[in-house]
Amino acid sequence: MHQPTQGAAPAAERVYLDHAATTPVRPEVVARMAQVLAGVGNPSSVHGEGRAARRILEDARTLLAGMLGTDPDGITFTSGGTEANDLALGAAPGRPVLVGATEHASVLEAVPDAPRIPVGPDGLIDMAALAGLLAEHRPGLVSVMLVNNETGVVQDIQRLAVEVHAAGALLHVDAVQALGKLPGVTLAALGCDLLTVSAHKIGGPQGVGALSARPGLLLPARLRGGGQEGRRRAGTHNLPGIAGFAQAIRLLDSAEPERLLGLRRRLEARLLAGLPDAAIAGAAAPRAPHITALVLLGRPAELQVIRLDLAGIAVSAGAACSSGKVQASHVLQAMGLGPLAGCALRLSLGWSSTEAEVDRAADAISGLHRPAGTLPAMAPPLPNGMTVAT
């Protein structure tokens, strides 16, 4: 039986606001995965059991292909968004790659020497800088995420696609935080060539994702040793995970983004009312409905996360990709926040979030800090594009 951390609130009383890291697995997904786990059969086998497993695999592939707007052959199942991103980054071998400065670590660390496309204070790609980098480096591929995983800022991918394709490059889009949160997450609607998605952000299991490629685009393998996935990705398929992914896709609700937007607005209104010296990073840009990056001047994020955890509120200080370490956000640093990059909380919503949870979290966060009508004397100034709430 799970025991809560000493001094922390019991699990039943906790509020989970870290859905951008992972969201709870839906009960229907658990049931479907259990059903597949109870069976037997490798999709690569030719006997009856193998063919039954192959049908489960290909049904999921067809479902995902239809949702993302490609042929089933354009879907490559992976171990998650990180592997899908890595596969995409190899789509133009021998040619340079450009990446956004606020990309997920799975992109930035996979191509550490790739030139980074700067963003403005609002978190949006600097189009003039992109044009200069395209002309200078003549890349084969550009990678920019649709929804930033720390701020929720939504990039204008259609505009980027025009510039990237005019320069003769492929465009890869990490849409892990966009699936189920934004409409039009398809290759055609975005105008991109490659699209990454992941199951565990939409109520599916961890450990399964996919890369969608436009029809006819050939991808060199990064993981070799078998003929699975059209020889693009070797290894025995995670069939229960893929079946769970498909079930989570079937459960997506077109009304959910509007519900989440209402919750996010409620959360931010209560936070800013209770914390006069707080600000929302990226508030000047279009944002996805489920992520809030709350900047609290002069208050280290690490201490805030710990104190809120003890109060029964699970939040993050940025991306959950640093082995449990709390570090200053490279996303907020790229947006020009400087020292404030270490003073931001990420609060993220999901399918199980409720108004009661939002209210409790807002009250808890506000209660941790004294009311302040003026900035603390030692607080650094806000960068351009950010204002203190009034």
XYZ file of all heavy atoms in Angstrom, residues 288-336:
339
model
N -2.186 27.150 -25.485
C -3.042 25.978 -25.345
C -3.849 26.112 -24.056
O -3.450 26.830 -23.129
C -2.197 24.708 -25.326
N -4.976 25.406 -23.962
C -5.884 25.641 -22.835
C -5.481 25.014 -21.512
O -6.132 25.279 -20.501
C -7.192 25.023 -23.329
C -6.767 23.936 -24.253
C -5.541 24.466 -24.948
N -4.407 24.229 -21.482
C -4.180 23.414 -20.289
C -2.920 23.758 -19.503
O -2.659 23.114 -18.482
C -4.136 21.941 -20.675
C -2.990 21.555 -21.570
N -2.786 22.120 -22.805
C -1.983 20.643 -21.421
C -1.720 21.588 -23.374
N -1.206 20.695 -22.550
N -2.135 24.764 -19.928
C -0.858 25.039 -19.267
C -0.782 26.497 -18.829
O -1.080 27.403 -19.600
C 0.333 24.724 -20.197
C 0.355 23.240 -20.552
C 1.657 25.120 -19.550
C 1.456 22.848 -21.532
N -0.332 26.697 -17.587
C -0.064 28.019 -17.037
C 1.354 28.036 -16.483
O 1.725 27.166 -15.686
C -1.038 28.361 -15.887
O -2.351 28.517 -16.421
C -0.634 29.640 -15.171
N 2.153 29.015 -16.899
C 3.491 29.213 -16.341
C 3.430 30.454 -15.453
O 3.413 31.585 -15.936
C 4.514 29.400 -17.455
N 3.381 30.229 -14.157
C 3.205 31.299 -13.176
C 4.566 31.750 -12.650
O 5.299 30.952 -12.057
C 2.336 30.800 -12.015
C 2.055 31.801 -10.892
C 1.104 32.895 -11.363
C 1.474 31.074 -9.669
N 4.894 33.011 -12.872
C 6.161 33.568 -12.409
C 5.910 34.364 -11.134
O 5.103 35.295 -11.117
C 6.792 34.488 -13.479
C 8.125 35.042 -12.979
C 6.992 33.720 -14.782
N 6.593 33.978 -10.062
C 6.471 34.637 -8.772
C 7.814 35.271 -8.431
O 8.798 34.568 -8.173
C 6.046 33.632 -7.697
C 4.600 33.135 -7.848
C 4.373 31.862 -7.070
C 3.628 34.204 -7.379
N 7.855 36.554 -8.451
C 9.104 37.290 -8.364
C 9.868 37.001 -7.079
O 9.332 37.107 -5.980
C 8.833 38.795 -8.473
C 8.047 39.233 -9.713
C 7.836 40.734 -9.702
C 8.761 38.807 -10.976
N 11.140 36.625 -7.243
C 12.008 36.434 -6.096
C 11.732 35.195 -5.279
O 12.265 35.058 -4.176
N 10.928 34.260 -5.799
C 10.567 33.068 -5.032
C 11.025 31.828 -5.780
O 10.426 31.437 -6.784
C 9.059 33.033 -4.798
C 8.614 34.166 -3.872
C 7.186 34.527 -4.102
N 6.812 35.680 -3.266
C 5.718 36.387 -3.434
N 4.898 36.091 -4.411
N 5.438 37.409 -2.649
N 12.098 31.200 -5.349
C 12.666 30.054 -6.081
C 11.641 28.948 -6.293
O 10.933 28.544 -5.372
C 13.810 29.592 -5.186
C 14.181 30.807 -4.385
C 12.888 31.538 -4.163
N 11.598 28.445 -7.515
C 10.612 27.436 -7.873
C 10.782 26.154 -7.065
O 9.800 25.523 -6.675
C 10.714 27.133 -9.362
N 12.032 25.765 -6.799
C 12.266 24.515 -6.085
C 11.574 24.518 -4.723
O 10.917 23.546 -4.334
C 13.762 24.283 -5.909
C 14.096 22.980 -5.204
C 15.583 22.705 -5.181
O 16.372 23.625 -5.491
O 15.956 21.570 -4.855
N 11.699 25.630 -4.000
C 11.063 25.717 -2.685
C 9.546 25.715 -2.805
O 8.838 25.107 -1.992
C 11.533 26.967 -1.957
C 13.020 27.021 -1.608
C 13.364 28.324 -0.895
C 13.411 25.824 -0.738
N 9.027 26.376 -3.837
C 7.579 26.413 -4.027
C 7.026 25.027 -4.319
O 5.974 24.641 -3.787
C 7.236 27.349 -5.183
C 7.594 28.805 -4.922
C 7.204 29.666 -6.105
O 6.022 29.855 -6.352
N 8.176 30.177 -6.835
N 7.715 24.275 -5.177
C 7.245 22.930 -5.520
C 7.203 22.039 -4.281
O 6.234 21.298 -4.063
C 8.149 22.311 -6.602
C 7.836 20.827 -6.789
C 7.980 23.049 -7.927
N 8.236 22.114 -3.448
C 8.294 21.293 -2.242
C 7.194 21.681 -1.264
O 6.493 20.817 -0.703
C 9.680 21.416 -1.572
C 10.752 20.790 -2.478
C 9.690 20.743 -0.204
C 12.168 21.049 -2.021
N 7.029 22.973 -1.054
C 6.011 23.429 -0.101
C 4.605 23.071 -0.570
O 3.749 22.673 0.228
C 6.138 24.937 0.111
C 7.427 25.345 0.836
C 7.587 26.853 0.874
N 6.609 27.482 1.741
C 6.434 28.800 1.849
N 7.181 29.615 1.106
N 5.532 29.299 2.674
N 4.365 23.191 -1.862
C 3.049 22.825 -2.378
C 2.828 21.318 -2.313
O 1.710 20.857 -2.033
C 2.902 23.324 -3.819
C 2.708 24.832 -3.953
C 2.850 25.266 -5.405
C 1.335 25.244 -3.415
N 3.871 20.542 -2.538
C 3.753 19.094 -2.426
C 3.337 18.697 -1.010
O 2.463 17.841 -0.820
C 5.086 18.451 -2.802
C 5.010 16.936 -2.846
O 3.991 16.401 -3.326
O 5.960 16.277 -2.391
N 3.954 19.332 -0.034
C 3.589 19.046 1.359
C 2.159 19.483 1.669
O 1.501 18.916 2.554
C 4.564 19.746 2.307
C 6.006 19.201 2.278
C 6.913 20.064 3.147
C 6.043 17.753 2.735
N 1.676 20.479 0.918
C 0.305 20.946 1.105
C -0.701 20.135 0.291
O -1.909 20.429 0.322
C 0.210 22.427 0.714
N -0.198 19.138 -0.447
C -1.101 18.278 -1.199
C -1.355 18.715 -2.615
O -2.298 18.224 -3.249
N -0.524 19.611 -3.151
C -0.700 20.117 -4.510
C 0.508 19.705 -5.348
O 1.639 20.101 -5.041
C -0.839 21.653 -4.535
C -1.829 22.136 -3.467
C -1.234 22.126 -5.927
C -3.256 21.685 -3.681
N 0.281 18.930 -6.393
C 1.366 18.467 -7.271
C 1.466 19.386 -8.479
O 0.562 19.420 -9.323
C 1.112 17.032 -7.716
N 2.563 20.150 -8.538
C 2.848 21.011 -9.675
C 4.298 20.784 -10.077
O 5.007 19.985 -9.471
C 2.597 22.504 -9.360
C 1.160 22.735 -8.921
C 3.566 23.010 -8.299
N 4.740 21.508 -11.102
C 6.084 21.340 -11.610
C 6.757 22.698 -11.722
O 6.099 23.730 -11.726
C 6.009 20.636 -12.969
O 7.083 20.939 -13.784
N 8.095 22.664 -11.838
C 8.843 23.897 -12.067
C 9.273 23.997 -13.519
O 10.113 24.813 -13.865
C 10.063 23.961 -11.161
N 8.719 23.193 -14.389
C 9.089 23.182 -15.794
C 8.859 21.802 -16.350
O 7.965 21.080 -15.894
N 9.647 21.408 -17.318
C 9.472 20.099 -17.932
C 9.911 18.987 -16.986
O 10.882 19.131 -16.253
C 10.284 20.022 -19.227
N 9.188 17.867 -17.033
C 9.543 16.710 -16.201
C 10.524 15.830 -16.964
O 10.238 14.695 -17.305
C 8.284 15.933 -15.838
N 11.710 16.378 -17.226
C 12.679 15.623 -18.043
C 14.084 15.770 -17.483
O 15.056 15.649 -18.208
C 12.639 16.123 -19.484
S 12.902 17.894 -19.657
N 14.197 16.043 -16.194
C 15.517 16.289 -15.611
C 15.801 15.376 -14.439
O 16.408 15.768 -13.463
C 15.625 17.756 -15.167
O 15.459 18.624 -16.264
N 15.294 14.150 -14.511
C 15.542 13.143 -13.460
C 15.146 13.637 -12.079
O 15.830 13.396 -11.097
C 17.032 12.743 -13.471
O 17.405 12.209 -14.715
N 14.016 14.325 -12.010
C 13.523 14.799 -10.728
C 14.192 16.032 -10.205
O 13.904 16.470 -9.099
N 15.091 16.625 -10.973
C 15.788 17.822 -10.520
C 15.017 19.072 -10.923
O 14.391 19.125 -11.976
C 17.193 17.868 -11.122
C 18.082 16.700 -10.722
C 19.439 16.783 -11.412
C 20.311 15.595 -11.044
N 21.612 15.628 -11.745
N 15.059 20.084 -10.079
C 14.446 21.364 -10.386
C 15.539 22.301 -10.865
O 16.485 22.596 -10.148
C 13.725 21.955 -9.150
C 13.157 23.324 -9.481
C 12.615 21.015 -8.692
N 15.422 22.759 -12.100
C 16.421 23.629 -12.689
C 15.739 24.857 -13.280
O 14.544 24.843 -13.565
C 17.190 22.886 -13.790
C 17.910 21.639 -13.303
C 18.547 20.861 -14.448
O 18.191 21.053 -15.604
N 19.468 19.983 -14.117
N 16.513 25.919 -13.470
C 15.979 27.098 -14.133
C 15.543 26.708 -15.543
O 16.231 25.973 -16.249
C 17.028 28.199 -14.170
N 14.401 27.198 -15.953
C 13.822 26.822 -17.228
C 14.578 27.427 -18.405
O 14.708 28.642 -18.512
C 12.360 27.282 -17.278
O 11.863 27.255 -18.583
N 15.060 26.574 -19.324
C 15.702 27.091 -20.535
C 14.682 27.787 -21.425
O 15.030 28.689 -22.203
C 16.387 25.949 -21.299
C 15.438 25.051 -22.039
N 14.756 24.024 -21.437
C 15.044 25.042 -23.347
C 13.993 23.408 -22.324
N 14.148 24.014 -23.495
N 13.412 27.387 -21.309
C 12.359 28.035 -22.095
C 12.200 29.488 -21.672
O 12.180 30.402 -22.505
C 11.029 27.270 -21.937
C 9.879 28.041 -22.579
C 11.134 25.879 -22.540
N 12.100 29.708 -20.374
C 11.925 31.074 -19.876
C 13.187 31.900 -20.060
O 13.125 33.118 -20.274
C 11.500 31.041 -18.408
C 10.180 30.301 -18.130
C 9.786 30.444 -16.667
C 9.059 30.796 -19.024
N 14.346 31.248 -19.997
C 15.586 31.971 -20.287
C 15.607 32.427 -21.736
O 16.007 33.560 -22.039
C 16.791 31.077 -19.977
C 17.021 30.863 -18.481
C 18.124 29.854 -18.197
O 18.419 28.997 -19.022
N 18.731 29.949 -17.020
N 15.162 31.567 -22.647
C 15.125 31.942 -24.059
C 14.142 33.075 -24.310
O 14.298 33.852 -25.258
C 14.740 30.736 -24.908
N 13.131 33.202 -23.451
C 12.151 34.282 -23.567
C 12.631 35.569 -22.913
O 11.906 36.562 -22.904
C 10.823 33.834 -22.950
C 10.124 32.722 -23.730
S 8.748 31.962 -22.832
C 7.609 33.352 -22.702
N 13.858 35.532 -22.350
C 14.440 36.744 -21.785
C 14.128 37.000 -20.335
O 14.343 38.108 -19.845
